[in-house]
Each structure stands twice: as C-alpha cells, then as structure tokens.
Amino acid sequence: MKNNTAGNEFILLGISDLPELQFPLFWALLLIYTATMFVNLIIITLIWVDAQLHIPMYFFLIHLSLMDICSSSVTVPKMLMNLLLGRKTISFSGCIAQFSFFIFLACSECLLLSVMAYDRHVAICHPLRYAAIMTGRLCSQMVTGSWAGGFLYSLMHTIATCRLSFCGSRIIHHFFCDVPQVFKLSCTDPFINVVLVFISGGIMGLGSFIITIISYIYIIAAILRINSRTGRSKAFSTCTSHLLVVFFYYGTMFFTYFRPVSSYAMPEGRLLSVIYTVITPLVNPMIYAMRNQEIKAALKRTLGSG
C-alpha cells in the first residue's frame, strides 16, 4: 500500500443505513453464522467418522464445507462486530486481507465445483473404471489444485491492488471490502486492475463453469441411454445435490456481479450480495444433507452408535 493510506481506515456502511435495523440484523447474522458453522462441521464430522463415506465424492464435499466455513468467516464476524459495537471501520490492511481471502475462496470454490462435476461424470459415464480413474492420489491432486489455483489468483489481484493509492473518500457503500468497491475508492487509475479481473476472472470463472456444464451434458446423455426408469432415477439422484449447489452458486454470483454498477452500492444491491456471501455457505451443506440419502444414513448410524 502507498504511504498516503497509512494510519487511515475505510468506513463500511453495512447492509442497511437504518439505525433501527442494526440490532435485528446482528441477531439474524449471528444465527445464520452459527448455523453455517454447525451444519458444515456436522457434514465434515460425519464424513470423517463414517467409513462408508470415504469415497471421492465426499472427500470433495469435506473441502467444499471447509471453503464455506472460511468464506463465511471472512465477512460475517467483522459485520457482527461492527453492528454490536456501532463502529463501521476497517483498517487498510484489514480491508486488503478481507479482499484477498474473499477472492481466494471464491475462486477455489469455482474450481472445486468443476472437480466435483468431473467426479460425477466419471462415476456415471465410466462406472466400471471409476475406482481406477478416481484414485486417492488424483483426488488429492485435484483438491490441492483447487486451493492452489484460488491462492495464486488471489495473490495476483492482491499484488495488483497494492499498487493503487487511496487518498480520497474512504466510505465503502457495502458491508465488506469487495472488488468493485475497493477499485472505486482508488485515486490511482484502476484500469489495469479491471482488465486483469475481466481477463483472469473470465478464464478462471468461465472456464470452471464450462467444464461443469460439459460434464453434465455427458452425464445427462449417459442417463438418457439407460433403459430402466429406476436406473435413470438412481443415476440422476447421485448428482442432483451437486447440480443444485452449482446452480445456486453461479446463479447468485451472476445476479450479484453482472448488473449495473450504479445499483451495486444501493441498499437492495447490498442485500442481494448477502445471499452470495452469507446465505450460500449455509445452503450448500443443507442441500447435501436434505437430498443425499447416504448422508442421512450416516447420521443415523452415528447417532445410533452413540
């Protein structure tokens, strides 16, 4: 960061500017955050202790839950502290850290969802070769690649952002240090940063989405070739949870970022962002918990053995 930012702070306006909503928002966010931590930790614990869930699909699900826990922890605790104490400030270093971790986890989750789509593609299109293809080594490499890809993507944008100087307004019309808001406050031309976001984000995000869609095109084609209606239903049920998570994740991301910039800082725009940053980490494990029969069976076995 440039020297003219030292010792200063950004001001986060939060979800709503209305004072009467601060207390209800605090309790609502605290409830959501607690539920997010609890549900994701339950998923991780079930998969860890139940030997029948020690397969690639649930190995990837553990890391999805870890990403959801981390992504929720990037924004919500700071929001809760600001609501509780009535302070809406964040240091420059804290803002850049929040900015960096948010990008890191968002990119990692995109990559992991494409990995999970490939896993379902192999399971349904090549069931006899599944164990030979999806080895423990390959699964570990793909998960490591997802985390590493997100880290490198975030590092690139963090370095590019640190070249900017912030000497004007310090008010962020949002509840966390998101990419467009940080760029808007810069008194250095952020053109290079914006181009970098579009090029690298397009390659990373669109590439992951295309891999996911292509995997499901092959999956659907394979399912339609199954003669038995029961067989088709059983095959499709193995990937519906992941498909719902993909649609919810990319759908909320699209409605959050692909809209006019002028509406992004509006209160309704901030509320829409809550769905992507706060609600999604809670919804993902709930989709798997409610629609996955193996997760439900593992929960019954664990509770029964206790």
Side-chain angles (χ1 to χ4, degrees):
M1 302 292 291
K2 299 294 182 66
N3 290 336
N4 58 357
T5 64
N8 291 323
E9 295 178 320
F10 286 130
I11 300 172
L12 297 169
L13 292 187
I15 299 176
S16 173
D17 303 326
L18 300 175
E20 60 270 22
L21 291 180
Q22 305 306 299
F23 189 69
L25 282 173
F26 171 81
W27 287 107
L29 287 172
L30 180 61
L31 179 63
I32 293 172
Y33 183 65
T34 303
T36 300
M37 297 296 107
F38 178 76
V39 175
N40 279 289
L41 287 173
I42 287 293
I43 294 289
I44 292 172
T45 303
L46 280 176
I47 297 172
W48 186 270
V49 302
D50 195 297
Q52 295 187 36
L53 298 182
H54 292 179
I55 58 176
M57 175 181 175
Y58 297 109
F59 173 69
F60 298 137
L61 183 54
I62 283 181
H63 288 271
L64 180 64
S65 289
L66 284 173
M67 289 177 185
D68 285 333
I69 288 174
C70 294
S71 62
S72 183
S73 298
V74 167
T75 58
V76 179
K78 182 61 179 176
M79 293 165 63
L80 290 173
M81 187 174 69
N82 288 348
L83 287 168
L84 182 64
L85 301 179
R87 297 175 65 249
K88 296 189 175 184
T89 59
I90 184 171
S91 66
F92 277 98
S93 58
C95 188
I96 296 302
Q98 192 178 63
F99 167 94
S100 302
F101 278 105
F102 178 76
I103 295 176
F104 163 46
L105 293 162
C107 179
S108 296
E109 189 156 337
C110 282
L111 294 173
L112 184 63
L113 288 175
S114 64
V115 166
M116 295 175 75
Y118 174 73
D119 170 69
R120 292 299 85 206
H121 163 254
V122 176
I124 293 175
C125 299
H126 308 284
L128 298 180
R129 298 175 54 204
Y130 180 75
I133 296 174
M134 300 302 295
T135 62
R137 181 179 181 181
L138 178 62
C139 292
S140 297
Q141 289 174 342
M142 289 194 293
V143 164
T144 302
S146 297
W147 286 101
F151 173 76
L152 293 175
Y153 181 80
S154 174
L155 181 63
M156 175 180 61
H157 286 294
T158 302
I159 293 173
T161 301
C162 287
R163 60 173 282 276
L164 302 176
S165 59
F166 302 88
C167 51
S169 172
R170 299 194 303 274
I171 299 176
I172 296 178
H173 295 268
H174 210 11
F175 55 84
F176 75 105
C177 295
D178 202 0
V179 177
Q181 296 299 314
V182 172
F183 290 171
K184 281 175 63 177
L185 295 184
S186 172
C187 55
T188 306
D189 186 1
F191 176 75
I192 295 177
N193 299 73
V194 173
V195 171
L196 191 61
V197 167
F198 273 98
I199 294 177
S200 60
I203 294 173
M204 190 74 72
L206 188 60
S208 299
F209 182 71
I210 289 174
I211 291 173
T212 303
I213 294 300
I214 290 175
S215 295
Y216 273 100
I217 289 174
Y218 279 104
I219 288 171
I220 293 172
I223 291 175
L224 293 176
R225 289 196 296 267
I226 299 175
N227 295 324
S228 168
R229 183 175 179 180
T230 303
R232 288 197 300 269
S233 177
K234 183 177 180 180
F236 192 70
S237 67
T238 64
C239 58
T240 50
S241 296
H242 177 255
L243 192 57
L244 285 172
V245 168
V246 168
F247 278 125
F248 190 80
Y249 183 80
Y250 281 104
T252 53
M253 181 188 291
F254 178 84
F255 283 109
T256 299
Y257 292 103
F258 290 87
R259 52 194 169 88
V261 177
S262 58
S263 68
Y264 191 77
M266 299 297 289
E268 58 271 21
R270 283 177 262 167
L271 288 174
L272 184 60
S273 298
V274 171
I275 298 175
Y276 174 65
T277 58
V278 180
I279 305 298
T280 299
L282 173 61
V283 171
N284 286 350
M286 291 182 66
I287 291 175
Y288 276 100
M290 290 187 295
R291 296 191 59 86
N292 193 295
Q293 297 301 320
E294 291 180 332
I295 292 288
K296 292 179 180 179
L299 181 60
K300 290 179 180 178
R301 287 193 296 268
T302 302
L303 294 176
S305 63

